[in-house]
Amino acid sequence: EVQLVASGGGLVQPGESLRLSCQASSTFDFSYKDMKWVRQAPGKGLEWVSIVSMNGNVRDYADSVQGRFAASRDNAANTLYLQMNNLRPEDTAVYYCAQADSVWDRTGQPANSQLGQGTQVTVSS
């Protein structure tokens, strides 16, 4: 069973916005887990993008997206979000949500080795 499914990606021009969603299955215990967004650009490894603590009070971002991206979550809906503004060509990647090891986790690897289904974001003029 795929427990995490990201959606909302697409092809946009530089400067435009996208909102990604990640739906967790009912068996994932979403509200009890710190969650993160990671991405993988063509030919590169997994890169940490953002983390949101289980209650949503702690949020942090990679320097490359700080001030442009905003992560949030709705525990009642088992859903993680990533609002991406002022997109740049270097943001082009497949985006995944994943469980974090802890609120201090800033790695690109999922805590439980399960990455789920990603969504492609392409920023190009």
Side-chain angles (χ1 to χ4, degrees), residues 42-105:
K44 297 188 176 181
L46 289 168
E47 176 191 16
W48 172 73
V49 174
S50 176
I51 190 164
V52 183
S53 62
M54 63 182 72
N55 60 10
N57 288 348
V58 176
R59 308 178 198 188
D60 196 18
Y61 304 92
D63 289 344
S64 58
V65 307
Q66 181 75 43
R68 301 186 298 121
F69 289 12
S72 60
R73 65 192 294 163
D74 181 344
N75 285 344
N78 287 348
T79 305
L80 185 73
Y81 300 100
L82 185 67
Q83 177 66 42
M84 306 189 297
N85 298 326
N86 192 21
L87 283 161
R88 303 169 180 170
E90 54 264 39
D91 294 319
T92 295
V94 178
Y95 285 71
Y96 304 88
C97 71
Q99 180 182 343
D101 273 321
S102 72
V103 71
W104 309 110
D105 182 1

Side-chain angles (χ1 to χ4, degrees), residues 1 5 9 13-14 20 22-23 29-31 54 58 61-62 64 66 69 73 83 89 91 101 108 115 118 121 123-124:
E1 177 194 11
V5 178
Q13 295 187 345
L20 306 185
C22 177
Q23 179 70 53
D29 287 335
F30 178 80
S31 60
M54 63 182 72
V58 176
Y61 304 92
S64 58
Q66 181 75 43
F69 289 12
R73 65 192 294 163
Q83 177 66 42
D91 294 319
D101 273 321
L115 206 50
V121 172
V123 185
S124 175

